Amino acid sequence: MRLILLGPPGVGKGTQAERLKDHYQIIHLSTGEILRGEMSALTSIGIQARQYIEEGKLVPDDILLNMMDNRLRQDDCENGYLLDGFPRTIPQARGLGKIMDDIGHLLDAVINLTADEEELITRLLRRAESSGRSDDTEIVIRERQKVYWTQTAPLIQYYESRNLLKEINGLGSIEEITERILDAL
Ligand code: AMP
């Protein structure tokens, strides 16, 4: 199974990804987590990414595409993967398509988790109390929502026109949402 999880910040992509990963025995690749790891290890990617992340902006596409090109060729991706937080722009989606074609991987589905924006901001502010993330402040949270609607939401149409999109209501209990996703797949 090779899946993409789409949806605005705070909709619960990370939580659902952990559950789907166990269900399908595939790996969960969160570009946000990978980038935070690079930042704490002070690698060149981490140093380049820091300012964008702290301002709630997207890290440039070429950095993401190089990083994911390397990552998707590793052996642990052979049994399948779930991409969380990537792609985030149309050029990233096109780049991902090329990488997967090149490796010979087919994309099975794109899950789009949906929820109301104000509800998401409330959830993120709650998460901010314990996350320790430098980008979990109200200003940056609002900026990340804005970036999502302008730069990432066009991917919904992109994958819909390729017949890959599964729309899932992201409001409800964690178990209910997982059930909806598994039913749709
Ligand atoms: P996330 O943990 O997915 O909310 O990502 C946290 C931050 O990492 C985002 O606000 C971006 O600054 C950066 N980031 C993560 N994934 C991407 C991506 N695919 N493209 C650009 N920036 C990204």
Side-chain angles (χ1 to χ4, degrees):
M1 206 42 130
R2 298 185 195 95
L3 303 169
I4 292 175
L5 207 46
L6 269 186
V11 78
K13 294 190 295 293
T15 308
Q16 292 302 325
E18 282 301 305
R19 297 168 62 86
L20 295 170
K21 150 191 131 170
D22 293 340
H23 184 91
Y24 289 114
Q25 296 289 303
I26 55 181
I27 57 166
H28 168 204
L29 295 176
S30 151
T31 46
E33 268 171 31
I34 299 174
L35 289 168
R36 283 187 287 281
E38 301 277 345
M39 255 166 48
S40 20
L42 295 174
T43 63
S44 121
I45 292 179
I47 292 165
Q48 293 176 74
R50 174 177 295 275
Q51 198 174 352
Y52 297 99
I53 293 178
E54 294 195 334
E55 290 176 4
K57 308 259 193 285
L58 293 183
V59 176
D61 291 335
D62 57 333
I63 297 180
L64 264 293
L65 283 168
N66 276 327
M67 189 175 94
M68 293 308 281
D69 192 355
N70 292 325
R71 187 65 189 87
L72 294 172
R73 288 174 199 275
Q74 288 174 25
D75 292 345
D76 60 352
C77 290
E78 269 169 26
N79 289 332
Y81 41 82
L82 189 133
L83 303 178
D84 160 12
F86 176 82
R88 279 264 228 300
T89 62
I90 296 280
Q92 286 184 21
R94 292 206 182 102
L96 172 65
K98 286 206 193 93
I99 295 168
M100 290 180 73
D101 280 351
D102 194 44
I103 315 177
H105 287 174
L106 276 181
L107 182 60
D108 291 288
V110 178
I111 299 152
N112 183 33
L113 282 178
T114 57
D116 171 76
E117 185 167 348
E118 281 309 311
E119 162 69 21
L120 296 173
I121 292 174
T122 312
R123 277 197 208 176
L124 284 169
L125 287 171
R126 219 180 300 134
R127 179 178 86 182
E129 291 166 14
S130 58
S131 74
R133 279 176 55 164
S134 56
D135 58 351
D136 268 350
T137 63
E138 182 160 359
I139 294 174
V140 180
I141 285 171
R142 289 194 183 274
E143 175 64 20
R144 280 159 47 213
Q145 294 290 329
K146 198 176 97 199
V147 164
Y148 175 80
W149 291 109
T150 54
Q151 291 176 267
T152 307
L155 294 183
I156 298 169
Q157 181 58 40
Y158 180 88
Y159 286 116
E160 192 167 34
S161 67
R162 286 162 178 75
N163 277 326
L164 287 165
L165 197 76
K166 312 275 181 204
E167 292 267 10
I168 307 289
N169 175 1
L171 285 182
S173 71
I174 291 173
E175 293 77 15
E176 268 165 11
I177 300 165
T178 309
E179 269 312 301
R180 285 177 203 150
I181 298 174
L182 294 178
D183 282 352
L185 291 172

